[in-house]
């Protein structure tokens, strides 16, 4: 699969390169002026099962004796107990293929090209990088020189995207509903309860798609509740010596509170930002989960809905939640409800009663930001979003790159902002400023049976 060198005259001088990723490194005159790996057609992202082809280029200022020239294609995962620490405590390998490009001999001065090709395994997992571990795929080349001479090495990272088809997940088109009842005391002698029910239109979404949330809050007490908050959470689990759970808030929206003896409904939506897919199939050391958490601080009540992030959208129309208070048919893509009506005097009613449900207003939304130059419209503002839940148009994707992990990097040029590649996926930001991970949110089953507030991640 490797071919012999194709020699051509080259310049007599240049910069020396020994251990380089791609291109020249070092200073002054040297025997090895250029040693780099390039992939065919400048590709960066590949799918499992695809051929990966490229060329190793060498430019010499003087003849170079060698024992062998080899190229290796590897895929592996490493996990650490400490954030941003490359000293892995657990590792696993997915593939490791090697080719000999040239046997023992001597390369004359000039430029030489060595083509190569590998077949990527169909089970290779998607590339990922997080604070406690990463999945890396790369091509490495080495010129092994005679004894007492230093070998020359270079490497090039490429990315694998194994698309997650949401339609392959069981019951993905079913309604996503959870409810919790919280009993509490107030004014020393009085008791009451709050019933919090939350639902989403689907269980799975793709980047740029609107996650439509409906919450129903029944305040069976004489005390007003605190504002209701909905958070899209990402939980990345790393299997080191023990499981490490890194939980962070991706997007958050806050609604108004519910008055005493009132029932209120809240409709909102969150645009799914650029996120790595759920699960990472093929990797046993890193697992990604997403949750939509709806909560009240006073009284403490929380429901958690698991959601999936994939690459191929759900192609079924959302089903009705049935008897639950999920999103009813005909609700527009973005609801801007009015403020709740003025509370009537409790003394005039002779006991608690509930009027028709009122609509809660939205107080804040983490995706409502000022427009930024060429970034286009504001994330979270009404977009021409299809009513059938299909993904938003491609231009939305770069707007929402606010989260962790992925497969394709941003390239920064000069002092300007990041410039995206043709792909919509990005690498994660710096993690050094992130705090230690919090505990993971409860499972779907735990949520349905009543959630322990101590499991809720802090802000």
């Amino acid at each position: 699969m490797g071919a012999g060198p194709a020699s051509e005259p080259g310049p007599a001088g240049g910069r020396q390169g020994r251990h380089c990723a791609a291109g020249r490194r070092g200073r002054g005159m040297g025997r090895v002026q250029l040693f780099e790996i390039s992939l065919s057609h400048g590709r960066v992202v590949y799918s499992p099962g695809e051929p990966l082809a490229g060329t190793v280029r060498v430019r010499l200022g003087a003849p170079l004796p060698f024992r062998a020239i080899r190229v290796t294609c590897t895929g592996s995962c490493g996990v650490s107990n400490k954030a941003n620490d490359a000293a892995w405590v657990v590792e696993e390998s997915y593939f490791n293929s090697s080719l000999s490009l040239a046997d023992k001999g001597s390369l004359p001065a000039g430029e030489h090209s060595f083509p190569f090709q590998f077949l990527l395994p169909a089970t290779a997992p998607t590339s990922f990088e997080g604070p406690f571990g990463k999945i890396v795929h790369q091509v490495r080349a080495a010129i092994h020189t005679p004894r007492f001479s230093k070998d020359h090495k270079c490497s090039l990272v490429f990315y694998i995207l194994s698309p997650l088809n949401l339609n392959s997940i069981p019951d993905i088109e079913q309604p996503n509903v959870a409810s919790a009842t919280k009993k509490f005391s107030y004014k020393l002698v009085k008791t009451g309860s709050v019933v919090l029910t939350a639902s989403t239109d689907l269980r799975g979404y793709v980047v740029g798609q609107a996650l439509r949330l409906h919450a129903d809050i029944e305040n069976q007490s004489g005390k007003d509740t605190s504002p209701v908050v909905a958070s899209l959470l990402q939980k990345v689990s790393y299997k080191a010596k023990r499981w490490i759970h890194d939980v962070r808030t991706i997007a958050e929206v806050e609604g108004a509170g519910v008055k005493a003896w009132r029932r209120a409904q809240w409709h909102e939506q969150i645009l799914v930002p650029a996120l790595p897919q759920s699960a990472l199939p093929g990797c046993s050391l890193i697992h990604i989960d997403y949750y939509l958490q709806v909560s009240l601080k006073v009284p403490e009540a929380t429901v958690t809905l698991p959601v999936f992030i994939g690459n191929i959208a759900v192609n079924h129309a959302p089903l009705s939640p049935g008897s639950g208070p999920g999103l009813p048919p005909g609700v527009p893509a973005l609801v801007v409800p009015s403020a709740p009506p003025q509370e009537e005097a409790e003394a005039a009613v002779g006991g608690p009663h509930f009027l028709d449900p009122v609509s809660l207003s939205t107080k804040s939304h983490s995706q409502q930001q000022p427009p930024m130059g060429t970034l286009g419209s504001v994330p979270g503002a009404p977009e021409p979003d299809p009513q059938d839940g299909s993904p938003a148009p491609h231009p939305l994707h770069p707007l929402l790159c606010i989260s962790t992990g992925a497969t394709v990097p941003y390239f920064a040029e000069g002092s300007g902002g990041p410039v995206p590649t043709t792909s919509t996926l990005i690498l994660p930001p710096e993690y050094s400023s992130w705090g230690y991970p919090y505990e993971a949110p409860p499972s779907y089953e735990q949520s349905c049976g009543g959630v322990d507030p101590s499991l809720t991640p802090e802000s």
Side-chain angles (χ1 to χ4, degrees), residues 144-224:
H144 299 285
T145 55
R147 192 177 180 184
F148 306 121
S149 297
K150 192 172 184 179
D151 293 343
H152 303 274
K153 300 178 181 179
C154 66
S155 63
L156 179 66
V157 173
F158 64 94
Y159 304 90
I160 290 182
L161 173 61
S162 179
L164 175 61
N165 186 346
L166 293 173
N167 298 284
S168 66
I169 299 174
D171 300 324
I172 192 67
E173 75 283 358
Q174 296 294 324
N176 205 7
V177 184
S179 182
T181 301
K182 176 68 176 181
K183 295 183 179 180
F184 62 99
S185 300
Y186 64 100
K187 294 182 180 179
L188 299 179
V189 295
K190 295 186 178 182
T191 60
S193 63
V194 166
V195 180
L196 172 61
T197 304
S199 64
T200 58
D201 56 331
L202 292 171
R203 294 173 183 257
Y205 302 88
V206 297
V207 172
Q209 189 172 1
L211 182 157
R212 294 183 175 88
L213 160 71
H214 174 79
D216 186 282
I217 306 165
E218 189 172 315
N219 186 2
Q220 302 171 359
S221 76
K223 180 180 176 64
D224 296 351

Side-chain angles (χ1 to χ4, degrees), residues 28-98:
M29 301 286 288
R31 180 177 294 179
V32 178
Q33 301 170 350
L34 177 70
F35 186 29
E36 69 174 11
I37 300 169
S38 61
L39 300 179
S40 297
H41 311 296
R43 289 190 62 180
V44 179
V45 184
Y46 292 81
S47 297
E50 269 196 297
L52 180 145
T55 304
V56 175
R57 295 179 58 220
V58 184
R59 184 186 301 134
L60 302 176
L64 177 67
F66 64 90
R67 292 184 291 114
I69 302 177
R70 300 186 66 82
V71 62
T72 305
C73 185
T74 63
S76 61
C77 176
V79 172
S80 174
N81 283 324
K82 299 179 180 179
N84 307 304
D85 186 0
W88 309 128
V89 296
V90 181
E91 296 181 71
E92 68 180 7
S93 176
Y94 307 115
F95 56 91
N96 189 336
S97 303
S98 184

Side-chain angles (χ1 to χ4, degrees), residues 3 25 28 60 68 102 163 165 195 204 253 262 271-272 302 338 354 390 427 440:
R25 291 185 61 181
L60 302 176
N165 186 346
V195 180
V253 58
R262 294 298 177 96
L271 293 179
V272 178
T302 303
S338 59
F354 295 96
S390 59
L427 282 179

Side-chain angles (χ1 to χ4, degrees), residues 376-409:
S377 58
V378 178
E383 297 285 345
D385 186 46
Q387 295 297 318
D388 59 359
S390 59
H394 173 87
L396 275 180
H397 296 183
L399 296 180
L400 305 172
C401 298
I402 61 174
S403 57
T404 66
T407 61
V408 178

Side-chain angles (χ1 to χ4, degrees), residues 361-373:
S361 61
T362 294
K363 298 174 62 177
S364 65
H365 201 307
S366 67
Q367 291 179 334
Q368 290 176 343
Q369 304 168 3
M372 297 178 59

